[in-house]
């Protein structure tokens, strides 16, 4: 008898035995299988219900839509996995080795992806604790800029020259962070001569700030004498502006100060040096 014939004969003998085992299994565990199916159905319903609740809560907290969707999907997946393990237990499957295997695999994956998981955990910490939000100006670790994007793994800062800095989230959490918020204070100076009318000069600066639409009324701008130099008086001009107006407001205010001082004859001193010749040539 050939090998093919022997294989067919063995398969024919095994097939009824396998069928009998399957039928016997369903007879003995029919109720358990039905319970497992009901559990899975209930698990899908619970996952959808909890996901809807979490989605509403995240929207009420004004979280970004992509982040909210990802969190909802993770919550649903965890619920389904938990119910799935329970269902396998109801069907008579030994879940202890399965759980142990998942745990070992999880440890291995976490060791291999320490940096990535660190960024993920830090990103969730930033999203929920909100030390800063999109649109605010922050400074930390020697970098600074306006926050344009907060993702699960990194935060994007934009400079005034439109260049961007990508900061891994694990570098942010636990560090000292300076959050300027949505507004910034300009630190401008203007020099006038000692012979100039100081009261008039300060009044002109205040008028310029009041008429500039980029300058915020609150907080109130700080205007006064900053320092007394050898040949000039330095005026401090410190208005508050929105982060987006930080650069254009400086140029506009400086231009207005020059024009108003010129029109009202407020003298702006020009550096002069007196040179004394001790040994003039004969």
């Amino acid at each position: 008898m050939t090998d093919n014939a022997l294989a067919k004969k063995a398969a024919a003998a095994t097939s009824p035995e396998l069928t009998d085992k399957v039928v016997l299994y369903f007879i003995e565990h029919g109720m358990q299988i039905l319970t497992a199916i009901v559990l899975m159905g209930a698990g899908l319903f619970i996952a959808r219900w909890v996901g809807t609740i979490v989605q509403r809560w995240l929207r009420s907290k004004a979280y970004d839509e992509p982040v909210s969707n990802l969190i909802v999907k993770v919550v649903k997946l965890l619920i389904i996995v938990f119910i799935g393990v329970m269902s396998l237990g109801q069907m008579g499957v030994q879940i202890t080795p399965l759980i142990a295997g998942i745990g070992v695999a999880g440890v291995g994956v976490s060791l291999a992806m320490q940096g990535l998981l660190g960024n993920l955990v830090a990103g969730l910490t930033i999203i929920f604790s909100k030390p800063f939000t999109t649109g605010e100006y922050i400074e930390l670790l020697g970098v600074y800029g306006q926050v344009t994007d907060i993702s699960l793994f990194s935060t994007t800062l934009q400079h005034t020259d439109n260049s961007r800095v990508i900061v891994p989230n694990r570098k942010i959490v636990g560090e000292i962070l300076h959050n300027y918020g949505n507004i910034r204070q300009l630190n401008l100076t203007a020099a006038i001569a000692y012979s100039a009318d100081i009261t008039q000069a300060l009044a002109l600066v205040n008028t310029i700030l009041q008429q500039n639409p980029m300058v915020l009324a609150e907080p109130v701008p700080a205007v006064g004498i900053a320092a007394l130099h050898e040949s000039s008086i330095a005026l401090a001009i410190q208005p508050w502006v929105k982060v987006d107006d930080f650069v254009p407001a400086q140029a506009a205010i400086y231009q207005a100060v020059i024009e108003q001082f010129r029109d009202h004859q407020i003298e702006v001193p020009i550096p002069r040096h007196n040179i004394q010749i001790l040994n003039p040539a004969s």
Side-chain angles (χ1 to χ4, degrees):
M1 187 177 293
T2 63
D3 292 341
N4 289 336
L6 289 174
K8 290 180 180 179
K9 185 176 181 181
T14 305
S15 180
E17 294 179 2
L18 180 61
T19 304
D20 292 342
K21 288 182 179 180
V22 172
V23 172
L24 182 61
Y25 176 81
F26 277 98
I27 292 174
E28 293 179 351
H29 300 86
M31 241 2 239
Q32 295 175 343
I33 295 173
L34 181 60
T35 303
I37 294 173
V38 172
L39 275 175
M40 284 301 300
L44 293 174
F45 174 79
I46 294 172
R48 183 177 300 177
W49 177 66
V50 173
T52 302
I53 294 176
V54 172
Q55 183 81 47
R56 291 175 181 173
W57 181 79
L58 292 173
R59 286 178 179 173
S60 67
K61 298 296 181 179
Y63 289 107
D64 295 336
E65 193 68 23
V67 176
S68 299
N69 292 336
L70 180 59
I71 293 174
V72 170
K73 290 179 180 178
V74 170
V75 170
K76 288 182 177 180
L77 180 62
L78 291 176
I79 293 174
I80 292 174
V81 169
F82 178 74
I83 298 296
V85 172
M86 291 179 59
S87 301
L88 290 175
Q90 284 293 325
M91 295 173 62
V93 177
Q94 294 294 327
I95 61 174
T96 303
L98 178 62
I99 295 175
I102 293 175
V104 172
V107 172
V109 171
S110 62
L111 290 175
M113 304 174 64
Q114 284 183 353
L116 189 63
L117 293 176
N119 285 329
L120 176 61
V121 173
L124 292 174
T125 302
I126 293 171
I127 290 169
F128 284 104
S129 62
K130 288 189 175 182
F132 54 85
T133 58
T134 303
E136 293 182 336
Y137 191 94
I138 66 172
E139 181 177 355
L140 78 161
L141 299 173
V143 299
Y144 54 88
Q146 185 178 15
V147 180
T148 57
D149 180 64
I150 304 172
S151 66
L152 287 175
F153 300 100
S154 64
T155 297
T156 303
L157 307 180
Q158 184 170 354
H159 289 179
T160 53
D161 60 357
N162 288 328
S163 61
R164 296 181 300 167
V165 178
I166 310 298
V167 184
N169 286 333
R170 71 178 186 277
K171 299 290 186 179
I172 297 175
V173 175
E175 295 292 337
I176 297 175
L177 183 144
H178 187 175
N179 188 348
Y180 293 85
N182 293 308
I183 60 175
R184 294 186 65 189
Q185 188 178 30
L186 297 176
N187 188 15
L188 313 179
T189 58
I192 62 174
Y194 277 96
S195 60
D197 188 337
I198 298 176
T199 303
Q200 183 185 20
L202 293 176
L204 287 173
V205 171
N206 280 310
T207 301
I208 291 170
L209 298 181
Q210 291 172 5
Q211 294 177 349
N212 191 310
M214 290 181 287
V215 174
L216 302 176
E218 292 291 338
V220 178
V223 178
I225 297 176
L228 301 177
H229 298 302
E230 183 178 352
S231 60
S232 65
I233 300 174
L235 303 182
I237 308 172
Q238 298 177 338
W240 295 85
V241 298
K242 294 181 179 179
V243 172
D244 293 334
D245 296 331
F246 187 77
V247 173
Q250 293 185 61
I253 292 172
Y254 271 137
Q255 180 178 347
V257 167
I258 293 173
E259 293 174 352
Q260 290 296 318
F261 280 10
R262 184 181 297 158
D263 293 343
H264 291 81
Q265 298 180 347
I266 301 294
E267 183 182 353
V268 177
I270 299 174
R272 293 184 176 88
H273 298 281
N274 294 325
I275 301 176
Q276 185 178 5
I277 301 177
L278 299 178
N279 296 312
S282 57

